[in-house]
Amino acid sequence: MGPRLRDTRGRMLRDMRISVTDRCNFRCVYCMPKEIFGRDYDFMPQQLLLSFEEIVRVAKAGVAHGVHKLRLTGGEPLLRRDIETLIAMLAELRTPEGEKLDIALTTNGSALAHKAQALRDAGLNRVTVSVDSLDDATFRAMNDIDFPLQRVLDGIRVATEVGFDAIKINTVVKRGVNEDDVLPIAEHFRGTGATVRFIEFMDVGTTNGWNLDQVVPSAEIIERIGAVHPLEALRPAYRGETATRWRYLDGSGEIGAISSVTAPFCGNCTRARISADGKLFTCLFASRGHDLRALLRGGCTDAELEAAIAGIWETRDDRYSELRSSNTPTERIEMSYIGG
């Protein structure tokens, strides 16, 4: 393998998270609160979104620099019409060594039962589903559109039936809202082959009303589960893995914890994020991005696009979570825009 891109802190470019739409049918209180993203909210018109062909060009340029993992996000990516066509196009890409890419997708699960087979057939490798509570009333309150839990669980079941065998469950834990769901969620998916990842409530954007008092530390979550089902820590599967991993001692699978507030992992962050309108962000908590769409629509060559990405990454020095304080930027991009 030849030289890889490194930023000013020696971090390689390994993962690319691509938002395909800024729209979502949920109004989760920690991401798209209804009082901000109401009926009259002005989402991007279709012509401002990257086309599938433009997305593939950006992904291909990333792959030339060492990216081998793509994750499609949103908003809610399954709202993007013909998303399976994009997946099939991305599945044709190869690394410089001739290897296939690892293509994943994060979804709220609302359309997963309907889409799972087409996604699998198109070449999607893995799927991650958000489940913040196993209490239907709490689940409906957190998505804030009264969407029933069972339809998401049905989507997970169908995804398993069509052959997705490494499903991940994302659970954002917010103090005073759903911390009592931690053990029930762990127990529901324990032994099923799915891996639950408990995520600390983060200060992404400026509209979710984040407060440190609402953060449930990952250490508390692991302790709560481990007191009932003994756990042991596992080594990271690869450098830059966002979740710390824990194995059930009885062999019933594993869980993960994403601790960007209490145990930042900026030092190993290998992720670039592409917004739905083609801006490259080098940090989840960034306040500005770099406009790749202008280059694409200005007629740039593939070599010029690769050079632009290299120039952005090689000057990257982001480490927001390590520096989180009153001195950090007050204006940050919203999670629904950047894709989480």
Side-chain angles (χ1 to χ4, degrees):
M1 183 179 296
R4 300 279 290 272
L5 275 186
R6 291 182 182 271
D7 68 11
T8 61
R9 300 182 182 276
R11 298 168 295 190
M12 293 186 296
L13 176 59
R14 180 184 182 278
D15 310 276
M16 186 171 278
R17 301 190 176 195
I18 303 172
S19 173
V20 297
T21 179
D22 63 331
R23 297 174 183 267
C24 186
N25 54 331
F26 282 12
R27 289 296 178 267
C28 296
V29 294
Y30 56 80
C31 180
M32 293 181 72
K34 189 179 290 183
E35 58 268 24
I36 304 296
F37 298 89
R39 289 187 176 183
D40 297 329
Y41 186 79
D42 190 18
F43 289 101
M44 295 180 199
Q46 183 70 28
Q47 65 268 24
L48 294 186
L49 303 181
L50 290 187
S51 68
F52 289 172
E53 290 77 14
E54 289 169 334
I55 290 173
V56 171
R57 285 193 67 193
V58 171
K60 183 179 178 181
V63 169
H65 288 307
V67 167
H68 64 268
K69 178 180 176 182
L70 302 175
R71 178 171 293 277
L72 302 182
T73 66
E76 170 48 46
L78 297 188
L79 293 183
R80 181 74 185 257
R81 182 176 297 178
D82 298 324
I83 185 69
E84 58 272 22
T85 300
L86 172 62
I87 292 169
M89 294 167 68
L90 293 171
E92 293 297 317
L93 297 179
R94 296 292 183 270
T95 69
E97 297 75 36
E99 299 174 353
K100 293 183 177 181
L101 303 181
D102 178 12
I103 306 175
L105 179 144
T106 298
T107 174
N108 62 28
S110 59
L112 187 56
H114 173 67
K115 283 281 194 178
Q117 186 67 66
L119 297 172
R120 186 66 176 169
D121 292 345
L124 187 69
N125 302 118
R126 297 182 294 108
V127 64
T128 298
V129 186
S130 297
V131 180
D132 294 322
S133 177
L134 285 178
D135 175 77
D136 187 61
T138 302
F139 185 83
R140 289 172 185 256
M142 290 192 73
N143 66 57
D144 209 16
I145 63 162
D146 202 34
F147 195 90
L149 170 67
Q150 190 57 52
R151 286 176 60 182
V152 174
L153 296 180
D154 288 344
I156 295 170
R157 173 184 54 79
V158 173
T160 302
E161 291 173 352
V162 303
F164 288 105
D165 57 3
I167 295 175
K168 286 187 171 64
I169 308 298
N170 278 353
T171 300
V172 174
V173 185
K174 187 176 179 181
R175 179 82 70 191
V177 177
N178 67 331
E179 72 262 40
D180 290 339
D181 285 284
V182 164
L183 184 59
I185 288 175
E187 291 182 332
H188 180 86
F189 292 103
R190 185 171 175 267
T192 67
T195 299
V196 182
R197 300 190 300 182
F198 295 98
I199 304 172
E200 293 178 343
F201 178 41
M202 293 182 288
D203 50 335
V204 179
T206 56
T207 64
N208 69 358
W210 185 85
N211 187 300
L212 185 59
D213 293 339
Q214 297 172 319
V215 176
V216 181
S218 292
E220 179 180 327
I221 292 170
I222 297 302
E223 181 180 3
R224 186 176 298 198
I225 297 169
V228 180
H229 304 288
L231 298 164
E232 69 174 356
L234 295 173
R235 292 183 177 181
Y238 54 88
R239 183 182 179 187
E241 188 172 25
T242 58
T244 55
R245 300 166 55 221
W246 301 79
R247 183 184 76 86
Y248 291 111
L249 288 182
D250 65 1
S252 297
E254 68 177 70
I255 59 173
I258 298 178
S259 318
S260 69
V261 178
T262 64
F265 40 82
C266 302
N268 285 324
C269 180
T270 60
R271 288 166 293 286
R273 292 172 167 84
I274 309 297
S275 66
D277 59 347
K279 291 185 174 63
L280 190 159
F281 291 83
T282 54
C283 179
L284 177 60
F285 303 96
S287 58
R288 59 179 291 271
H290 305 266
D291 192 355
L292 299 183
R293 186 186 64 192
L295 292 175
L296 291 164
R297 297 185 181 178
C300 74
T301 65
D302 287 348
E304 289 169 337
L305 182 59
E306 291 174 18
I309 291 174
I312 294 166
W313 190 264
E314 288 174 340
T315 59
R316 173 186 187 241
D317 65 355
D318 305 278
R319 54 189 185 111
Y320 173 88
S321 287
E322 291 180 352
L323 299 173
R324 183 181 280 108
S325 73
S326 59
N327 296 322
T328 54
T330 56
E331 291 298 323
R332 297 181 297 279
I333 201 68
E334 298 297 329
M335 183 182 291
S336 58
Y337 176 79
I338 201 174

